[in-house]
Amino acid sequence: MTDVNTAIKTEIDSQDVVVFMKGTPQFPMCGFSGQVVQILNYLGVPFKGVNVLDDMAVREGIKAYSNWPTIPQIYVKGEFVGGCDIAREMFQSGELQQFLSEKGIPVKSAA
């Protein structure tokens, strides 16, 4: 495993929900990253944001690691879930909430 893959795996293993994104959860630097942050915040899911703009090796490495060409990328308990489009579709159908609950991650119910 290369050093960048080791660093990526360490990030993924550091918290139940990790998002590799452009920018930070407080200041997303692209609309797709912003949408993922909005969804997770709406659901009340604590997550760690990894800013790929801080490290070009991670930015390119995460694409190879997941075999997924775009950012953001969401990992739940070490499992790659997908990017913005997948997260949005799963959220709209209720599948994301169910998936998170099944993984033992509390989700705020819609009030």
Side-chain angles (χ1 to χ4, degrees):
M1 196 180 281
T2 65
D3 287 343
V4 72
N5 282 350
T6 302
I8 288 168
K9 179 152 180 32
T10 299
E11 291 287 8
I12 290 169
D13 293 344
S14 71
Q15 196 159 326
D16 286 346
V17 181
V18 178
V19 180
F20 288 83
M21 60 184 290
K22 293 178 181 174
T24 65
Q26 296 77 22
F27 297 103
M29 300 295 283
C30 86
F32 299 114
S33 293
Q35 285 181 43
V36 168
V37 167
Q38 281 185 316
I39 289 168
L40 293 174
N41 285 342
Y42 179 81
L43 295 175
V45 172
F47 68 97
K48 178 178 186 174
V50 178
N51 185 357
V52 300
L53 300 177
D54 285 344
D55 187 337
M56 290 309 287
V58 171
R59 183 177 183 171
E60 294 308 313
I62 192 63
K63 296 174 187 178
Y65 185 91
S66 62
N67 198 26
W68 191 261
T70 60
I71 295 166
Q73 294 186 13
I74 305 161
Y75 289 81
V76 175
K77 299 241 175 152
E79 181 181 338
F80 176 61
V81 176
C84 179
D85 291 345
I86 290 171
R88 186 176 52 239
E89 289 169 16
M90 288 177 72
F91 170 71
Q92 289 170 343
S93 72
E95 189 180 349
L96 181 60
Q97 295 86 318
Q98 181 179 346
F99 175 77
L100 291 166
S101 294
E102 287 170 359
K103 292 287 187 178
I105 298 167
V107 175
K108 192 169 55 179
S109 61

